[in-house]
Amino acid sequence: MIAKKETMKHDVVLSFADFGVDDINNFCFTHFDKGLWEEHSFYIFDKYRDASKVMVDMGGWLGITSLYCSQKFYSVIAFECDKIALSRFHSNLNVNPTITNVSVLEKAVWVENGNVDLYSNVEFGESILVNLKNVDVRKTESVECSTFLTAMKEEKIQLRKIGFIKMDIEGCEAEVIFDMQHYLSAYKPTLYISIHHNLIDYEGVLNMLTLLFSIYLKAVIFNANGDEQKVSKSDIINNKLIDCVFSQK
């Protein structure tokens, strides 16, 4: 039996598998549980919660955000391709047997179906995998990939039922956004995107933001206290803002 510890974030009580202090999953206790990791994200999930809609988690990592959002949305579809992170994600799901509305897709979301080579300059498990080879590559791994629309079709998810997408895919966001542009224009789900300015060139960021601002009414950022601030395209570019929410409300 896997040891577990219980944690609470806002109004959500979760358990996480305890593999000891040297395991990557200990992050759930040292950072998430202590409020030292992306507090703004959980205010975002709270604000845009919708028990009638599906949430898509692109970059599920250890399952923290997916498990939290399982209490905020009708169901969660999570993409994750890092094998070590995936093993911990499944362990964390297993110690929460009452959570039955999270589906894990063991693949990367990308602009084509098949396989893609990902690179990392840290150990796998930290889920910092990019499809751009850099000068300090420690690990290389070929992973299964799928387009967003292919994956949703395979999972039999009605596109109109998707209400919220979290996208944190380590520099692949510009390509994936353009691949999804017709879907985004038609359905306009709330999009919470992490923009990796260090991995995308200026032109790529500019073109992606130009598209998103043509689709959505506004973009906002949140701070660690849950305060909201409206931002412009130039705000995001000039200040290299990372975590932005595009929405119709």
Side-chain angles (χ1 to χ4, degrees):
M1 181 178 295
I2 300 174
K4 64 180 181 179
K5 293 180 183 177
E6 192 174 85
T7 69
M8 184 171 185
K9 177 74 66 178
H10 299 182
D11 59 343
V12 174
V13 177
L14 297 171
S15 293
F16 291 102
D18 184 4
F19 294 101
V21 296
D22 295 325
D23 190 87
I24 187 67
N25 211 53
N26 199 51
F27 183 93
C28 301
F29 312 117
T30 59
H31 288 71
F32 167 72
D33 188 41
K34 298 184 184 304
L36 301 177
W37 180 64
E38 296 191 6
E39 280 297 289
H40 60 283
S41 292
F42 302 96
Y43 286 108
I44 291 169
F45 301 144
D46 290 347
K47 173 169 181 173
Y48 297 99
R49 66 189 299 169
D50 189 335
S52 70
K53 295 291 188 177
V54 176
M55 182 267 197
V56 178
D57 193 350
M58 296 182 178
W61 194 33
L62 306 174
I64 297 171
T65 53
S66 296
L67 290 169
Y68 185 87
C69 287
S70 72
Q71 312 299 301
K72 306 291 178 177
F73 295 89
Y74 177 76
S75 64
V76 177
I77 307 294
F79 288 85
E80 181 53 59
C81 60
D82 184 314
K83 296 298 189 292
I84 295 176
L86 273 168
S87 71
R88 297 303 179 254
F89 194 148
H90 286 296
S91 294
N92 290 328
L93 266 177
N94 289 338
V95 297
N96 289 278
T98 61
I99 296 178
T100 59
N101 62 340
V102 176
S103 299
V104 184
L105 308 185
E106 298 189 1
K107 59 182 70 175
V109 62
W110 186 227
V111 299
E112 58 189 25
N113 303 310
N115 287 77
V116 63
D117 288 333
L118 297 182
Y119 308 94
S120 179
N121 60 4
V122 296
E123 294 299 318
F124 286 134
E126 296 184 37
S127 208
I128 304 176
L129 302 178
V130 299
N131 72 338
L132 301 172
K133 192 170 184 178
N134 57 47
V135 296
D136 183 27
V137 174
R138 293 187 190 178
K139 305 280 185 178
T140 304
E141 185 165 318
S142 179
V143 301
E144 184 179 355
C145 62
S146 171
T147 68
F148 166 76
L149 289 178
T150 296
M152 295 306 100
K153 182 178 181 180
E154 290 176 347
E155 293 298 308
K156 296 181 173 58
I157 302 297
Q158 296 180 39
L159 297 180
R160 61 180 176 81
K161 291 285 288 182
I162 300 170
F164 188 97
I165 296 174
K166 168 190 155 261
M167 181 181 290
D168 186 359
I169 52 177
E170 305 300 331
C172 298
E173 52 269 24
E175 290 95 333
V176 172
I177 286 294
F178 277 100
D179 186 62
M180 294 173 63
Q181 63 179 302
H182 299 302
Y183 159 76
L184 295 174
S185 296
Y187 294 95
K188 298 178 174 59
T190 298
L191 174 68
Y192 173 28
I193 182 171
S194 291
I195 303 171
H196 293 78
H197 297 267
N198 61 320
L199 297 173
I200 310 174
D201 61 26
Y202 172 85
E203 197 73 19
V205 173
L206 176 62
N207 291 339
M208 177 180 68
L209 292 177
T210 299
L211 173 62
L212 291 176
F213 275 97
S214 74
I215 294 172
Y216 290 96
L217 289 177
K218 69 174 184 177
V220 297
I221 59 172
F222 286 72
N223 65 20
N225 296 316
D227 301 317
E228 176 182 336
Q229 177 185 340
K230 189 174 180 179
V231 294
S232 67
K233 180 166 59 176
S234 60
D235 290 332
I236 297 171
I237 292 175
N238 295 336
N239 298 300
K240 296 190 184 309
L241 300 178
I242 299 172
D243 292 340
C244 303
V245 179
F246 289 84
S247 75
Q248 296 301 92
K249 57 185 178 179

